[in-house]
């Protein structure tokens, strides 16, 4: 029998060598967050530039 047959997802216990709280965010989430932040700032800077150019005339 494997461990998955005795696993209770609603049970309070966890495995002895398993940390119940993750220490780091997954790498894909960090990369996606960084990309969204950079892209968001680039779009905001472009819109700001549009308003500055349109307001100068």
């Amino acid at each position: 029998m494997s461990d998955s047959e005795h696993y209770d997802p609603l049970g309070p216990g966890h495995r002895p060598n398993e940390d119940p709280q993750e220490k780091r965010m997954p790498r894909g989430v960090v990369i996606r967050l960084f990309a969204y932040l950079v892209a968001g700032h680039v779009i905001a800077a472009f819109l700001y530039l549009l308003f500055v150019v349109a307001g100068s005339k």
Side-chain angles (χ1 to χ4, degrees), residues 11-30:
H14 61 278
R15 294 187 179 138
N17 59 354
E18 181 182 16
D19 191 8
Q21 183 176 4
E22 293 186 22
K23 300 292 183 197
R24 298 175 57 188
M25 291 174 57
R27 188 175 190 167
V29 174
V30 173

Side-chain angles (χ1 to χ4, degrees), residues 32-56:
R32 205 173 319 139
L33 178 65
F34 181 74
Y36 288 159
L37 286 173
V38 170
H41 281 88
V42 168
I43 291 170
F46 178 70
L47 289 175
Y48 178 77
L49 181 66
L50 286 179
F51 279 101
V52 168
V53 169
S56 66

Side-chain angles (χ1 to χ4, degrees), residues 2-21:
S2 66
D3 289 338
S4 62
E5 292 177 3
H6 301 290
Y7 177 69
D8 181 14
L10 301 177
H14 61 278
R15 294 187 179 138
N17 59 354
E18 181 182 16
D19 191 8
Q21 183 176 4

